[in-house]
Amino acid sequence: MSQPVIGSRYDLHVTRKGAAESKAARDYFAVHPGDIEEVQQEEDVTGYVHSWEVGSTVDGPGLRFVGFLTGCPLRCLYCHNPDTWHKYNGHPVSVSRAMRQIGNYVQVLKISNGGITLSGGEPQLQREFVTRIFRHCKQLGLHTCLDTSGRLGDRFTDEELMDIDLHLLDIKSGDPDTFKKVTNQPLQPTLDFARRLATLKRPMWIRFVLVPGFTDDHDNVERVADFCAGLESVERVEILRFHQMGQDKWRKLGLEYALANVAPPGVELTERVRGQFRNRGLTVY
């Protein structure tokens, strides 16, 4: 098995197998069968990983060891990691090998009040790999965090969700039509998963990506803010300002980047949106 590198989420990774599949499909935007269906695994489950990142401070509390998994059913217009869309574009890694890599950093993660975060892509797509990694991490006393859109949350049992200490849940729009335009997926599964987490009293940090001309509409933000205010286990809301850092990956993959002329949100717009969430008594970053 090839080994994913310790590096950055902003590095472009295209494995030979993944590139060949993409070319055969003639459409990188297509959702491949392997990006949807999870194949039953042997005892030592294999996952597909874009890269590991060590020392992140933006993917949960404390210092984080972050695994970026491949495979995602969403096609977000502002995605800065389109090379994670297809599962088999990742490096195959067994659970045991992943735990050996994580094990190198257990003490520093504990000292920093950090832990392990699995991101993507959409890590929920690789449920068996994710749940086994988190089960082992909990046995080591590590804080666990899942960065997800919640699109495939119904795949997880309540028991499996108990091994996840924190969900970084992306709610990309409050309006279903806007959500569909931005992600090419329906909004309802995300809302259903958020309500389920609240019922189970599982902690959440809600993330909302602010994209001028797409998600910044006042009523759209109001819908997201109202929804978040009704979830008792939401600890904070993070307003993520749109940026152009992923554009180069789209170009290298031969993809048309629809937001090339969209500027990051200014201070006034960002503060207006933050204020809409604060008006509901929510803690906003």
Side-chain angles (χ1 to χ4, degrees), residues 15-280:
T15 66
R16 184 174 300 175
K17 183 176 181 181
E21 285 195 356
S22 175
K23 184 177 181 180
R26 296 184 179 180
D27 184 359
Y28 198 84
F29 280 90
V31 178
H32 297 176
D35 300 332
I36 296 295
E37 300 300 329
E38 187 168 39
V39 179
Q40 287 294 104
Q41 301 284 356
E42 300 299 328
E43 183 63 26
D44 196 1
V45 172
T46 296
Y48 293 85
V49 181
H50 171 278
S51 59
W52 306 121
E53 189 172 297
V54 180
S56 170
T57 59
V58 296
D59 298 285
L63 289 179
R64 312 298 298 184
F65 181 103
V66 186
F68 293 94
L69 278 54
T70 48
C72 184
L74 276 64
R75 294 294 180 265
C76 297
L77 296 178
Y78 48 75
C79 179
H80 58 261
N81 283 325
D83 50 337
T84 65
W85 285 351
H86 301 305
K87 183 169 72 175
Y88 296 117
N89 191 37
H91 301 268
V93 181
S94 67
V95 169
S96 59
R97 189 168 186 175
M99 290 311 303
R100 286 196 295 272
Q101 186 74 66
I102 294 169
N104 293 328
Y105 304 95
V106 169
Q107 293 308 313
V108 69
L109 294 175
K110 287 183 177 180
I111 291 170
S112 72
N113 294 317
I116 173 77
T117 299
L118 294 181
S119 184
E122 174 47 71
Q124 286 187 338
L125 190 146
Q126 298 192 50
R127 181 196 63 82
E128 193 169 4
F129 184 71
V130 167
T131 55
R132 294 196 184 202
I133 292 290
F134 281 158
R135 180 88 293 265
H136 287 300
C137 286
K138 293 309 297 176
Q139 292 169 352
L140 293 173
L142 286 174
H143 181 276
T144 57
C145 180
L146 189 71
D147 183 3
T148 178
S149 70
R151 176 66 179 86
L152 304 173
D154 58 357
R155 293 186 174 189
F156 286 69
T157 67
D158 290 354
E159 182 180 3
E160 289 167 342
L161 293 177
M162 294 302 163
D163 280 337
I164 304 174
D165 294 315
L166 175 66
H167 279 81
L168 305 180
L169 182 63
D170 299 317
I171 301 182
K172 302 172 187 293
S173 170
D175 173 65
D177 292 337
T178 300
F179 192 95
K180 179 72 173 180
K181 179 180 180 180
V182 169
T183 72
N184 199 37
Q185 288 289 320
L187 169 61
Q188 195 60 46
T190 295
L191 302 184
D192 291 344
F193 184 63
R195 291 191 182 101
R196 182 180 170 205
L197 291 177
T199 298
L200 294 172
K201 304 186 186 306
R202 306 311 296 157
M204 286 179 274
W205 291 3
I206 302 298
R207 289 179 156 184
F208 175 74
V209 182
L210 178 57
V211 187
F214 288 85
T215 66
D216 61 336
D217 178 77
H218 184 276
D219 290 341
N220 181 54
V221 177
E222 289 285 281
R223 289 192 186 191
V224 181
D226 283 339
F227 181 75
C228 292
L231 303 173
E232 292 186 6
S233 62
V234 170
E235 296 181 345
R236 63 196 277 182
V237 176
E238 297 182 340
I239 306 303
L240 306 183
R241 299 171 68 247
F242 165 74
H243 57 70
Q244 293 279 2
M245 294 179 70
Q247 183 174 177
D248 191 49
K249 282 190 178 184
W250 286 66
R251 179 182 59 78
K252 289 178 179 178
L253 291 169
L255 304 174
E256 181 182 356
Y257 187 65
L259 305 186
N261 296 320
V262 177
V267 174
E268 183 176 352
L269 174 59
T270 302
E271 286 307 307
R272 188 213 84 195
V273 170
R274 286 176 175 155
Q276 289 179 260
F277 284 93
R278 290 191 182 111
N279 287 342
R280 272 77 175 177

